[in-house]
């Protein structure tokens, strides 16, 4: 966490760190830190469908109690995105603002976040927070346990706009995120549990037309995994003008406009 706090970011850039699954920390030029969908425990083992292996395959690079960010956003209420054990373990809940759809806001409250620090968001909702603008985007729920999925456009001052799909089934309405002209797209590719497959994600990239795309949500669970090289190959075929980025866990990536 100290390395992230001290990492310098140029004016037209954003730095990001991938912590596994759909979990990222973003840092703006002004030093604002935004976390998204952090899953930093092994809590999904207890709720895994019978016969499936949901033990985490990625080391916990930052324990929940060490997470110190300005804003903490989630895309939906599945436990690998709105993790009550991660949220409950945060020591800096009294200085962080929490953002997400209403079912996730209920988890924030249940885990001790005061109501004044909870900011509901929804598709087409917009929040201006310091030098970051957060816009909700459409996502198609993957099952009926949570019908409030969404994605985000994160805009970092004069730096890049990043589209995060969140968990979503394939749908033509996903392309509505194109109107925000994102420079970078972060997309699920695992294909299991009704999420976008590597080829569906590549087709979406062709419709969104970002400069580059990052695959995620393929690494955490042995029984919900995918090979990112398949996305890279599909991207070359479906959207050859879109670059491919594959972050390493915990290694900073700097993306500039």
């Amino acid at each position: 966490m100290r390395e992230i706090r001290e990492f310098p970011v140029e004016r037209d850039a954003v730095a990001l760190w991938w912590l596994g699954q759909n979990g990222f920390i973003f840092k703006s030029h002004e030093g604002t830190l935004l976390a998204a969908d952090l899953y930093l425990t092994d809590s999904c083992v207890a709720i895994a469908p019978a016969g499936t292996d949901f033990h985490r395959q990625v080391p916990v690079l930052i324990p929940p109690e060490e997470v110190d960010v300005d804003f903490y956003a989630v895309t939906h209420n599945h436990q690998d995105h709105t993790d009550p054990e991660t949220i409950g373990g945060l020591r800096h809940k009294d200085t962080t603002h929490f953002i997400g759809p209403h079912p996730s806001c209920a988890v924030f409250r249940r885990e001790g976040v005061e109501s004044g620090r909870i900011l509901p968001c929804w598709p087409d909702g917009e929040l201006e927070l310091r030098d970051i603008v957060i816009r909700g985007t459409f996502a198609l729920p993957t099952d009926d346990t949570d019908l409030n999925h969404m994605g985000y456009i994160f805009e970092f001052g004069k730096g890049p706009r990043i589209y995060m799909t969140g968990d979503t089934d394939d749908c033509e309405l996903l392309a509505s995120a194109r109107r925000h002209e994102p420079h970078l797209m972060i997309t699920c590719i695992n294909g299991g549990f009704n999420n976008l497959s590597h080829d569906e994600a590549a087709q979406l990239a062709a419709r969104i037309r970002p400069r580059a795309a990052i695959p995620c949500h393929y690494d955490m669970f042995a029984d919900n995994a995918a090979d990112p090289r398949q996305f890279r190959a599909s991207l070359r075929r479906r959207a050859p003008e879109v670059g491919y980025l594959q972050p390493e866990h915990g290694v900073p990536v700097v993306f500039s406009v």
Side-chain angles (χ1 to χ4, degrees), residues 77-136:
N77 201 31
H78 286 168
Q79 195 152 310
D80 56 326
H81 298 258
T82 303
D83 177 26
E85 291 189 11
T86 294
I87 296 161
L90 298 173
R91 287 192 296 113
H92 297 282
K93 285 183 285 191
D94 58 341
T95 59
T96 300
H97 283 82
F98 292 77
I99 301 149
H102 285 283
S104 295
C105 291
V107 176
F108 298 153
R109 287 190 294 272
R110 195 161 60 241
E111 295 302 323
V113 179
E114 60 186 41
S115 59
R117 295 199 169 274
I118 297 174
L119 303 173
C121 198
W122 49 85
D124 262 355
E126 183 175 308
L127 299 168
E128 293 189 29
L129 305 165
R130 296 191 188 177
D131 59 331
I132 298 177
V133 177
I134 297 176
R135 298 180 179 90

Side-chain angles (χ1 to χ4, degrees), residues 124-195:
D124 262 355
E126 183 175 308
L127 299 168
E128 293 189 29
L129 305 165
R130 296 191 188 177
D131 59 331
I132 298 177
V133 177
I134 297 176
R135 298 180 179 90
T137 63
F138 173 83
L140 183 64
T142 55
D143 61 58
D144 65 2
T145 63
D146 181 7
L147 299 176
N148 292 270
H149 287 223
M150 60 185 291
Y152 287 109
I153 297 285
F154 300 131
E155 184 172 356
F156 298 87
K158 297 186 181 301
R161 290 181 298 277
I162 298 176
Y163 169 42
M164 174 176 281
T165 67
D167 280 10
T168 182
D169 207 341
D170 194 22
C171 177
E172 61 187 16
L173 291 177
L174 293 173
S176 62
R178 168 61 193 163
R179 64 174 173 261
H180 301 295
E181 299 183 332
H183 303 97
L184 179 66
M185 171 177 160
I186 298 174
T187 179
C188 58
I189 64 160
N190 56 297
F193 299 91
N194 294 324
N195 277 316

